[in-house]
Structures are given as structure tokens and as C-alpha cells.
Amino acid sequence: MHPDAIPGPVANVKRALTALGAPDTVTVFDSKVPTAAAAAATLGCDVAAITNSLVFDLGGTPLLILASGAAKVDVHKVAEQLGTGKIRRASPEFVLEHTGQEVGGVAPVGHPEKIRTLLDESLSVHRVLWAGAGDHNSMFSISYEDLHRITGAEELQVR
């Protein structure tokens, strides 16, 4: 793919990775990988190594939870651990507004402004993680340690 053909959100993720001291491992696929199952099938990896970037609405403020593709986030458990009110799944419009990326392609980085981020501790068992890179066709690989470092996420049990 010609560099000029890279969509803006993916270019933002690539810039964010390198600015944060992580390698640019963004891969653009011919087919869409909007779900953890689709990504794992395309990559030939365990769905548990896919890092879903899930945006929630916490009283009008975005909360990004980086969760294993094999897990369903328990929002009640997360809210209890954080000592916050109700955590709701964000609308696609809310996600786009706060990340600059569409649902199904949200990355852990590359957003217009820093978003409070939680990191699913269960991801730490995988040597290589794969995360969305800004659109439905792009992903990047990263270690748990580097993902934790570049996002400044709070480690938490999310299920």
C-alpha cells in the first residue's frame, strides 16, 4: 500500500506508536478484521491474544478498556473496582468523537486526546498481542509490557 493511501486514523496510530517509543508493527490486511474472531482467524493466533479496544461511557467521559478477545468485560466488576458510577457501552458516535476511529477498528493509541485506559490483566500471559490500528483492516502487534507502557493503562481484572 502506498503511504499516501493509508487512512488518517491508521496514520495517527503509526505516528503514536513511534512517538511513544514502540515499533511501528501496523499490518494492513486485504480483508476486514472488525472482530476478535475475524482477527484471530486472519492472524492464525488465539482469540485470547487479540486486544479489543472497547470504549465505554462513564458519565459522559470516555473509558477505554483493553480486553482479551476471549473475554466479556464485566462492567459491574470494573465500576466496583474503580469506585465509579454506572459504566455503559458507548454509542458509535461517542466512540468516533473521542477516538477519531470507528467501532471495530479502535486502537489503544492515536486518539485526539488521552483517554483513561484500563488493561485486562489476563492479556499478560501472551507473548505477542494484536490490537486494532485505527480501521477495520489494520492491526499491530505488541508485547503486554509495551502496551502497558505506551497507554499508561491501569491494570485491572475486567471479568
Side-chain angles (χ1 to χ4, degrees), residues 28-89:
V28 179
F29 301 100
D30 291 331
S31 59
K32 292 183 184 278
V33 288
T35 65
T42 298
L43 292 162
C45 71
D46 186 338
V47 71
I50 302 298
T51 305
N52 283 335
S53 298
L54 306 172
V55 178
F56 293 87
D57 183 337
L58 181 59
T61 302
L63 175 67
L64 178 63
I65 301 180
L66 306 177
S68 168
K72 180 171 172 44
V73 173
D74 182 340
V75 293
H76 301 294
K77 181 176 185 171
V78 171
E80 186 177 295
Q81 291 177 82
L82 296 179
T84 63
K86 186 176 182 179
I87 298 173
R88 298 179 299 126
R89 181 67 69 124

